[in-house]
Amino acid sequence: LALDGIVTDPARQPLSGIELRLEPGGRTARTDGQGKFSFPDLAEGDYLLTAIGRGYVPLQQAVRGQAAEVRLTLDKVQTTI
């Protein structure tokens, strides 16, 4: 089984270079130029997917290890002056 997905910003623009972590197992991946990522060869089960990118609010989402595509939307970090 594989877990495939895409990471975008709120305007649905793909985000490249976002780090993804899958627990349990500690597997990592990064999004490509189209915001896509893949975790191949997964056992079926429940996982916690974390997406982290510079300038964006980290996101955690529970996912099921089955043939599915996940869409994650990261919000920009709000800065105050």
Side-chain angles (χ1 to χ4, degrees):
L1 299 176
L3 177 68
D4 299 318
I6 186 168
V7 180
T8 63
D9 68 11
R12 296 190 176 209
Q13 295 301 308
L15 297 175
S16 63
I18 301 297
E19 180 182 340
L20 296 124
R21 293 184 195 147
L22 196 61
E23 297 292 343
R27 293 177 64 178
T28 61
R30 280 199 184 273
T31 56
D32 65 14
Q34 287 80 45
K36 295 181 180 180
F37 65 90
S38 181
F39 288 98
D41 304 319
L42 284 182
E44 193 167 330
D46 295 322
Y47 295 91
L48 182 63
L49 181 62
T50 303
I52 301 168
R54 186 181 197 135
Y56 292 91
V57 178
L59 177 68
Q60 288 189 324
Q61 182 170 321
V63 294
R64 197 153 205 21
Q66 59 188 11
E69 182 169 292
V70 175
R71 180 175 289 272
L72 302 174
T73 302
L74 295 187
D75 292 319
K76 282 195 174 272
V77 171
Q78 298 297 316
T79 57
T80 56
I81 301 173

